[in-house]
Amino acid sequence: MFGPDPTSAPVKSPGRAEETMEVLITVKAAPNPSETYGETVCVAGIRIDVHPTCWVRLYPINYRELERENTFRKYDIISLRARPAHADPRVESYRPIVETVQTLSYLDTWERRKVFVIDHVQASMCELLSEIRERPLARSLAAIRPRVVKNLEIKAHPGWSAAEQRKIDRYIQQEELFSSGPRTALEAPRFQGWYHYLCQSPPCRGHRQGIYDWEWVALQRNLRRFSDAEAKEQLRLKFFEQMCGPRQDTIFYVGNLAKHPQAFMTLGAFYPKR
């Protein structure tokens, strides 16, 4: 009765003043090339220092260059200061002041995490898309419980585009001051992946969403010595059979692109046992 409404969008604070917030990290997206930062990671989670709790996006973060005391993982509760990201029209978006990040605690079980996540879960991806078509500044982050996950599509990654590669090259070539070593280029992952699923809207014809989860890329790095066929098998085992199996209560964290509001991606999964 007094919990958050998963169908309502938060309101971004006016002005550019810093805010102190506490966030349960639920999303660490795969890194993308950036000319300024080399690579950037989009982090998102549930802001728990306000009532009702709400989604928040923290961007940009160059995760590899974080100081050790500022690093954090999924399902850490962190405190930090951040400013409303007015260059990004999405209402959940804030620019983090990375040096202010402090890790407060880690939620180590699905049950402890569910306390914060469950009130934000909704059933219909179709409704989310309908809202964003009518109002481009509607919610851009959500947690969706699919009716059925039909397939995991895996294809070879084509490599960075020419524009992405130029960003990487410029960053590597920039003169480094106060650096402890050479900059290293961000490697493209071996594989791309897409989930095919039905949401719980009765007329749903299906959704195909790309996987932009940090863990998707991290697992591929660990499979570097595996053949393509073996690596695909391990990716399917983890991201389809384990995360989306019949014994799991699978929920997808989804988010859209600032320049293409109707393009939603799967940013991660919450998958406790039923």
Side-chain angles (χ1 to χ4, degrees):
M1 179 176 179
F2 299 104
D5 177 0
T7 65
S8 66
V11 177
K12 186 182 291 184
S13 301
R16 301 180 183 277
E18 293 181 11
E19 297 181 39
T20 299
M21 56 181 67
E22 292 185 8
V23 181
L24 170 63
I25 301 299
T26 59
V27 165
K28 280 176 58 182
N32 279 309
S34 167
E35 185 174 339
T36 303
Y37 303 100
E39 62 190 62
T40 53
V41 175
C42 180
V43 171
I46 299 170
R47 186 172 175 180
I48 63 173
D49 63 306
V50 294
H51 184 78
T53 59
C54 63
W55 292 106
V56 65
R57 176 186 291 105
L58 302 173
Y59 180 88
I61 293 176
N62 182 337
Y63 201 78
R64 276 203 294 182
E65 292 192 0
L66 288 179
E67 297 292 341
R68 181 173 298 275
E69 61 267 22
N70 300 125
T71 57
F72 51 86
R73 53 187 166 169
K74 286 173 66 172
Y75 300 110
D76 274 349
I77 294 176
I78 66 171
S79 68
L80 77 157
R81 296 201 304 272
R83 299 184 182 94
H86 290 289
D88 184 343
R90 295 173 295 181
V91 293
E92 302 93 342
S93 295
Y94 282 74
R95 290 184 64 89
I97 302 170
V98 175
E99 59 269 22
T100 69
V101 171
Q102 292 185 325
T103 300
L104 304 180
S105 61
Y106 172 65
L107 302 187
D108 58 352
T109 67
W110 292 116
E111 289 303 315
R112 294 183 66 194
R113 301 164 185 171
K114 187 182 294 186
V115 171
F116 298 97
V117 173
I118 201 67
D119 286 338
H120 290 276
V121 176
Q122 61 186 99
S124 178
M125 187 69 224
C126 291
E127 290 180 6
L128 191 63
L129 287 169
S130 178
E131 291 171 8
I132 209 87
R133 281 191 291 267
E134 294 176 6
R135 295 184 298 110
L137 297 184
R139 287 169 306 121
S140 65
L141 290 169
I144 302 292
R145 178 182 277 117
R147 185 192 335 163
V148 59
V149 184
K150 301 175 68 175
N151 189 30
L152 169 61
E153 177 186 356
I154 304 175
K155 291 184 178 180
H157 195 290
W160 301 127
S161 68
E164 290 170 328
Q165 189 61 53
R166 282 195 295 271
K167 291 179 182 179
I168 295 172
D169 293 342
R170 287 179 188 140
Y171 178 75
I172 295 297
Q173 293 165 7
Q174 289 170 4
E175 181 180 359
E176 285 192 270
L177 298 177
F178 313 112
S179 175
S180 59
R183 291 173 171 173
T184 57
L186 175 65
E187 294 183 6
R190 289 167 69 184
F191 302 106
Q192 297 172 297
W194 295 264
Y195 280 122
H196 295 250
Y197 68 92
L198 296 175
C199 74
Q200 297 187 40
S201 291
C204 180
R205 296 182 178 180
H207 304 282
R208 178 181 183 263
Q209 289 179 343
I211 301 173
Y212 285 77
D213 187 349
W214 176 289
E215 295 178 10
W216 173 260
V217 175
L219 178 55
Q220 293 184 51
R221 286 198 297 267
N222 292 336
L223 299 172
R224 190 183 300 271
R225 297 184 180 181
F226 285 58
S227 69
D228 284 356
E230 293 169 332
K232 285 183 178 181
E233 182 180 355
Q234 292 299 312
L235 287 167
R236 177 170 291 275
L237 176 64
K238 173 68 175 180
F239 282 84
F240 186 65
E241 295 181 23
Q242 294 181 7
M243 289 185 172
C244 306
R247 299 182 61 188
Q248 313 309 125
D249 179 17
T250 304
I251 294 162
F252 290 143
Y253 299 121
V254 301
N256 70 357
L257 296 171
K259 294 183 179 179
H260 304 283
Q262 296 182 38
F264 276 82
M265 307 165 289
T266 301
L267 303 175
F270 183 81
Y271 50 102
K273 290 185 179 180
R274 295 184 184 276

